[in-house]
C-alpha cells in the first residue's frame, strides 16, 4: 500500500517511511491536485481535513482523527490500515522517500562520524539526496516507538 499525506501530516509521513511505507508528502494546499497525484500513482490519501471526499470509485481517502502527531501512526495501526509486518523497516530515506541502497563500507569513511564508522559494518545511501544511513542511525526514540507499536499491532 502506498500513501500520499497532506500538509498537516509531515510527521506521520516520515514515520510511515521509517516503517518502510512508500509515502509522498504533499506540501501544497490544492485538494484537486492532491487527489490527482494520488490517482496517478495509485496512492491512498491521508488527510486531517474533512473537505476531501472521494469523487471516483478509485479514490481512497483515510481521514486521520487524532490531533496529536505522536499518536497518528498508532491510529493507523489500530484501524488496521497498516501493519508492522508488511514492509521492511528503515528501508527508505526519511527525507525523500527513496529506497536506500547498501554501499561498500569504505565509501562511508569520512562521511559518517569516525566512531560510527568503526562500530558499524553496513552502510546505506539514499540515491536521491545522498544522505548516509546505518543501522541505528534513526534516532533512538524511533526504535522505541516501534517497540511500543509492536504491542498494539
Ligand atoms: Zn533521500
Amino acid at each position: 500500500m502506498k500513501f500520499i499525506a497532506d500538509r498537516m501530516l509531515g510527521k506521520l509521513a516520515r514515520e510511515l517511511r521509517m516503517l518502510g511505507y512508500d509515502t509522498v508528502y504533499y506540501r501544497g494546499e490544492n485538494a484537486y491536485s492532491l487527489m490527482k497525484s494520488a490517482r496517478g500513482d495509485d496512492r491512498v490519501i491521508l488527510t486531517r481535513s474533512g473537505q476531501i471526499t472521494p469523487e471516483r470509485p478509485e479514490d481512497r481517502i483515510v481521514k486521520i482523527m487524532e490531533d496529536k502527531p505522536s499518536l497518528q501512526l498508532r491510529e493507523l495501526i489500530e484501524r488496521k490500515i497498516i501493519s508492522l509486518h508488511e514492509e521492511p523497516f528503515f528501508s527508505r530515506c526519511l527525507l525523500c522517500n527513496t529506497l536506500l541502497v547498501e554501499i561498500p563500507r569504505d565509501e562511508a569513511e569520512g562521511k559518517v562520524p569516525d566512531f560510527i564508522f568503526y562500530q558499524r559494518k553496513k552502510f546505506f545511501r539514499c540515491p536521491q539526496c545522498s544522505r548516509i544511513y546505518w543501522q541505528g542511525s534513526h534516532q533512538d526514540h524511533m526504535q522505541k516507538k516501534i517497540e511500543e507499536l509492536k504491542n498494539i499491532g
Side-chain angles (χ1 to χ4, degrees):
M1 191 180 285
K2 298 190 291 183
F3 297 102
I4 183 165
D6 80 5
R7 56 199 297 273
M8 304 289 291
L9 298 171
K11 185 180 165 71
L12 182 61
R14 282 171 63 102
E15 289 182 337
L16 282 167
R17 291 171 185 166
M18 171 186 80
L19 295 184
Y21 282 96
D22 181 342
T23 306
V24 167
Y25 178 40
Y26 179 77
R27 285 181 178 79
E29 290 185 51
N30 184 323
Y32 174 74
S33 66
L34 171 63
M35 203 89 127
K36 218 173 117 187
S37 27
R39 282 176 192 148
D41 222 8
D42 197 25
R43 292 179 186 275
V44 176
I45 295 175
L46 301 171
T47 181
R48 280 284 295 140
S49 155
Q51 319 243 311
I52 300 175
T53 47
E55 287 165 11
R56 295 190 195 169
E58 69 265 31
D59 291 342
R60 287 169 300 164
I61 296 164
V62 173
K63 180 166 192 288
I64 302 293
M65 313 305 276
E66 181 58 60
D67 271 332
K68 289 202 190 93
S70 59
L71 297 176
Q72 288 166 345
L73 192 62
R74 168 180 284 258
E75 179 187 337
L76 287 180
I77 294 171
E78 282 172 348
R79 290 167 65 187
K80 311 244 185 271
I81 290 160
I82 58 166
S83 90
L84 293 176
H85 315 288
E86 267 176 294
E87 307 286 344
F89 298 159
F90 305 124
S91 54
R92 287 178 185 278
C93 180
L94 297 186
L95 302 180
C96 70
N97 192 42
T98 308
L99 278 175
L100 302 177
V101 291
E102 192 171 345
I103 52 171
R105 192 166 174 276
D106 53 359
E107 243 180 69
E109 193 169 12
K111 295 186 184 121
V112 301
D114 277 354
F115 74 99
I116 295 290
F117 182 74
Y118 292 110
Q119 264 174 19
R120 306 291 166 173
K121 288 193 179 66
K122 287 188 170 188
F123 294 91
F124 304 85
R125 197 171 63 89
C126 171
Q128 185 68 33
C129 72
S130 299
R131 184 173 167 173
I132 301 214
Y133 290 86
W134 56 90
Q135 225 183 0
S137 62
H138 300 71
Q139 295 108 323
D140 282 351
H141 76 266
M142 286 188 173
Q143 298 276 7
K144 227 160 100 189
K145 179 149 197 166
I146 288 183
E147 290 310 311
E148 284 167 22
L149 293 170
K150 276 181 183 161
N151 295 328
I152 55 165

